[in-house]
Amino acid sequence: MLKSTRVSDPALYDIVARELDRQEHNIEMIASESTAPTEVLELSGCVFNNKTTEGYPGNRFQAGSHVADDLERLAIQRCKDVYGAEHVNMQPYSGSTANYSVYSAIMEPGDTIMGMRLDQGGHLTHGSPVNFNTKFYKFLSYGVDEKTELIDYDALAAMAKENKPKLIIAGASSYPRLIDYERMAAVAKEVGAYFLADMAHISGLVGAGVIPSPVPYADFVTSSTSKTICGARGGFIMCKAEHAKKLDKAVFPGTLGSIHLQAIAANAWVFEHLKSDEFKATMRQILANAKKLAEALTARGFRIVSGGTDNHIVLTDLRPKNITGKIFQNALEVVGITVNKNMVPFDPASPFVTSGVRIGLTSTTQRGLKEPQIEEIADIMNQVAAAPEDQKNLADCKDRAEKLISGFPLYPAGYFED
Ligand SMILES: Cc1ncc(COP(=O)(O)O)c(C=O)c1O
């Protein structure tokens, strides 16, 4: 691994080796994470990193871009084929900048955007006061019904009718259920708003066809490329053909500079891989594993927000266990299970403490864990929750977690040996 760096910069090599070791020996359950396939690792570090290119294929600012043109065209075509999109922009550096580019394509300062509340599942870029976009646009937030914990579409429609936003955003970071894109598109149409679906978290599941796609309904669809889609860190945007010109101009020169061609190369591989039986089987198993985890935790006295899950996320309310998200996250980290504390809808605790944790099933499923191992993880979590500050208990749980994950290598044996 890193054969030049190992010689020229041992201190840095050591940090990377430690991170590989951490990932290998931990059970990674951060919902936004995935494990990059070896091809993605290789392509992310390929010679396209050397090339500066701005503009679009056939119309570049730098000479020597004809091979980059072929690369970007290939990635775009593969993405279009998977999602059935009319137009694709592959240049965003991440899901966040993809959203910024859409805003800048269609919004004027002072215009109104409706997005999901951060404390009920939405994302920072959808209107959190700490995000810089709130300096330019007026954001309104819709949320979930207190009883069902599902998006309250009636309240959302009423808010849209009253406020006539220019843009309505669907999509979330910690919403474990399917979103009714058809219904939200109809609301947007009725009030004359654009409709953006941010599928950052779920684009792998959508690409594999195991959950419904927003693409037929939305004017714009944005995504990260490092979550369930399992690619290199980056982003992409799809839109209806009528918005293509405006969007491309907003991405470059509007919000971004030169293209991260090495990430596009890796993601071109990903878009082809999405069509494979292997990838589809992994995405199906993610859904099965998430359902299993929700059931197994419920059986052990945890409360699952909305009563279950339709995607890769199990949002778990810890109040029946009398512990906070912060305490549980820290205790699980000691044990070698990585999750993040997360607010549950109508959470009385602060975002720094929280009453819940968000658990994602992507990385574990990629490693080959199936229902029996997920049941064992739920049991370890239950043991941790019973005495999260008892060091002997945590040491025992750590043994159980290590034994479990050691049978499921992160990467093929010998891959990093040279
Ligand atoms: C719904 C949603 N949109 C956008 C993003 C931002 O993506 P990135 O981290 O690639 O910038 C996230 C990240 O978690 C997300 O959950």
Side-chain angles (χ1 to χ4, degrees):
M1 181 179 76
L2 305 181
K3 59 184 179 203
S4 310
T5 311
R6 188 167 53 195
V7 175
S8 67
D9 192 341
L12 180 56
Y13 174 84
D14 183 52
I15 288 177
V16 179
R18 276 173 45 218
E19 175 60 9
L20 175 60
D21 186 70
R22 189 195 67 78
Q23 291 182 18
E24 180 73 49
H25 293 103
N26 273 259
I27 301 177
E28 297 292 332
M29 303 189 91
I30 302 279
S32 48
E33 288 183 6
S34 60
T35 304
T38 50
E39 289 85 348
V40 170
L41 290 185
E42 289 166 13
L43 288 160
S44 299
C46 76
V47 290
F48 270 115
N49 193 72
N50 301 342
K51 180 68 193 138
T52 297
T53 300
E54 293 167 311
Y56 289 97
N59 186 21
R60 303 291 195 185
F61 283 77
Q62 289 80 10
S65 295
H66 52 286
V67 190
D69 285 0
D70 289 346
L71 171 70
E72 195 174 349
R73 284 193 184 110
L74 180 69
I76 287 170
Q77 190 54 51
R78 288 179 171 182
C79 181
K80 277 185 175 174
D81 291 347
V82 170
Y83 292 102
E86 292 177 15
H87 179 75
V88 170
N89 189 305
M90 200 51 67
Q91 298 190 4
Y93 303 151
S94 77
S96 300
T97 65
N99 286 341
Y100 305 150
S101 294
V102 172
Y103 301 164
S104 104
I106 54 175
M107 308 295 289
E108 296 299 330
D111 282 347
T112 300
I113 303 179
M114 263 176 65
M116 192 168 183
R117 289 172 63 147
L118 180 66
D119 62 354
Q120 295 190 358
H123 186 252
L124 283 167
T125 55
H126 298 179
S128 162
V130 298
N131 186 275
F132 81 103
N133 278 292
T134 53
K135 290 183 183 168
F136 308 115
Y137 313 120
K138 183 178 163 205
F139 281 90
L140 296 171
S141 302
Y142 62 86
V144 299
D145 175 81
E146 191 157 6
K147 224 161 131 210
T148 61
E149 300 178 312
L150 303 177
I151 292 171
D152 187 340
Y153 293 101
D154 291 337
L156 182 156
M159 181 184 274
K161 272 186 203 149
E162 191 184 331
N163 296 282
K164 302 264 180 303
K166 193 163 175 189
L167 173 67
I168 298 179
I169 308 171
S173 299
S174 56
Y175 185 66
R177 294 301 192 174
L178 300 179
I179 293 174
D180 190 341
Y181 300 116
E182 192 173 359
R183 190 162 176 192
M184 290 187 66
V187 171
K189 193 163 179 211
E190 198 183 335
V191 302
Y194 291 101
F195 180 39
L196 160 64
D198 176 347
M199 61 168 190
H201 261 265
I202 54 170
S203 50
L205 300 167
V206 171
V210 301
I211 63 171
S213 170
V215 173
Y217 305 107
D219 294 295
F220 300 89
V221 177
T222 52
S223 183
S224 295
T225 45
S226 54
K227 299 182 172 69
T228 50
I229 198 169
C230 308
R233 288 190 178 271
F236 64 99
I237 306 169
M238 299 182 274
C239 70
K240 299 281 184 246
E242 67 197 90
H243 307 310
K245 239 175 145 175
K246 255 191 307 206
L247 176 74
D248 284 351
K249 216 169 135 204
V251 173
F252 181 84
T255 44
L256 304 180
S258 62
I259 306 166
H260 292 192
L261 290 166
Q262 78 289 351
I264 292 182
N267 290 329
W269 182 87
V270 167
F271 289 118
E272 191 62 16
H273 185 59
L274 284 185
K275 300 173 198 156
S276 69
D277 291 342
E278 182 200 357
F279 186 83
K280 288 179 182 172
T282 303
M283 294 295 119
R284 268 195 299 274
Q285 189 64 44
I286 288 174
L287 298 186
N289 283 351
K291 281 191 180 14
K292 180 73 201 177
L293 184 65
E295 275 167 31
L297 288 174
T298 304
R300 288 163 176 79
F302 292 84
R303 191 185 81 82
I304 305 304
V305 169
S306 81
T309 176
D310 299 321
N311 58 27
H312 62 302
I313 292 173
V314 179
L315 188 57
T316 307
D317 185 346
L318 303 165
R319 284 174 293 183
K321 296 284 184 185
N322 287 318
I323 52 172
T324 65
K326 185 177 172 186
I327 287 177
F328 197 44
Q329 173 189 305
N330 291 343
L332 286 174
E333 189 174 19
V334 171
V335 165
I337 300 177
T338 324
V339 303
N340 65 278
K341 62 179 185 287
N342 209 96
M343 296 188 90
V344 297
F346 307 97
D347 200 329
S350 87
F352 304 103
V353 177
T354 81
S355 299
V357 285
R358 184 185 67 160
I359 310 173
L361 278 299
T362 310
S363 298
T364 46
T365 307
Q366 285 180 284
R367 286 179 85 153
L369 275 67
K370 294 210 163 78
E371 287 87 341
Q373 293 82 36
I374 298 301
E375 177 105 38
E376 168 72 356
I377 290 174
D379 206 59
I380 298 170
M381 287 180 166
N382 192 37
Q383 188 179 335
V384 171
E389 275 150 6
D390 175 341
Q391 296 310 312
K392 195 170 159 311
N393 181 47
L394 297 188
D396 185 43
C397 292
K398 189 173 166 61
D399 278 352
R400 287 180 71 184
E402 268 176 11
K403 202 176 285 165
L404 172 68
I405 203 64
S406 65
F408 297 90
L410 184 68
Y411 282 103
Y415 178 71
F416 290 108
E417 284 160 24
D418 40 46

